[in-house]
Amino acid sequence: MTEANTIADGSVVTMHYKLALDDGQVVDSSEGNDPLAYLHGSGNIVPGLESAMNGKQVGDKFDVAVKPEEGYGTRHEEAVQTVPRGMFPPDAQLEAGIQFQATDEEQRPVMGTIKEVADETVTVDFNHPLAGHVLNFSIEIVEIRVATEEEKAHGHVHGPGGHDH
Ligand code: ZN
């Protein structure tokens, strides 16, 4: 493994992170867990955070507020849809607030959140749960190394904090 001092495309970055919304609610954090590893420059993390990571070094601690446009996007009201109950498997738990994964017309994974359940229909919000939110990240860079050729080819990190296959 090669050491690299500064984050650039092709760096494997290991970091501790905390993600809070503007109201202070912490929605994700590595606190108490292993740090997260990601491959820089491959779109593994939201664009606003990835660009803020550029040039950072081991030991750096910083906060960054990522706008929705550079985070999980803005909200689209047309993404709130009422669909027949039969679109869900018979044993699916249908309750407001439950999140599930589905695929869109192009077979891309999309996240849905159930808003309302009626006799015949279910209202689903296909906006990302964090769409429309400013993402307040607190980051601490733990380790930086150069990605292996295999990791670059796969577009993700192997080993601790990354993919295992
Ligand atoms: Zn892989």
Side-chain angles (χ1 to χ4, degrees):
M1 303 274 177
T2 320
E3 289 283 333
N5 293 320
T6 304
I7 296 175
D9 286 357
S11 297
V12 171
V13 181
T14 306
M15 63 176 176
H16 276 295
Y17 67 97
K18 190 175 84 176
L19 168 55
L21 304 183
D22 276 346
D23 64 4
Q25 185 196 352
V26 176
V27 291
D28 199 6
S29 170
S30 63
E31 202 182 332
N33 292 308
D34 289 335
L36 176 82
Y38 81 95
L39 177 58
H40 191 79
S42 292
N44 290 176
I45 58 175
V46 295
L49 178 58
E50 189 158 53
S51 61
M53 300 289 280
N54 263 323
K56 293 290 194 290
Q57 302 187 314
V58 172
D60 281 356
K61 288 185 187 180
F62 64 98
D63 296 332
V64 56
V66 173
K67 293 179 299 187
E69 293 79 8
E70 296 184 331
Y72 291 103
T74 52
R75 283 186 55 83
H76 299 281
E77 285 319 310
E78 65 272 21
V80 179
Q81 294 170 9
T82 301
V83 300
R85 227 183 149 121
M87 300 229 344
F88 292 87
D91 59 344
Q93 197 190 354
L94 300 178
E95 250 175 64
I98 286 181
Q99 291 179 359
F100 63 94
Q101 192 150 36
T103 49
D104 66 11
E105 295 85 15
E106 278 108 59
Q107 299 304 309
R108 289 173 306 203
V110 289
M111 189 94 111
T113 306
I114 295 177
K115 286 282 171 211
E116 208 182 314
V117 182
D119 286 347
E120 302 288 331
T121 59
V122 180
T123 303
V124 176
D125 185 352
F126 285 106
N127 286 291
H128 188 284
L130 296 177
H133 285 282
V134 173
L135 309 173
N136 299 294
F137 287 101
S138 301
I139 301 294
E140 180 183 355
I141 311 294
V142 176
E143 193 189 309
I144 303 169
R145 66 172 168 84
V146 173
T148 63
E149 289 308 315
E150 191 185 48
E151 287 172 323
K152 286 179 187 169
H154 286 201
H156 58 225
V157 173
H158 294 161
H163 279 243
D164 184 15
H165 61 177

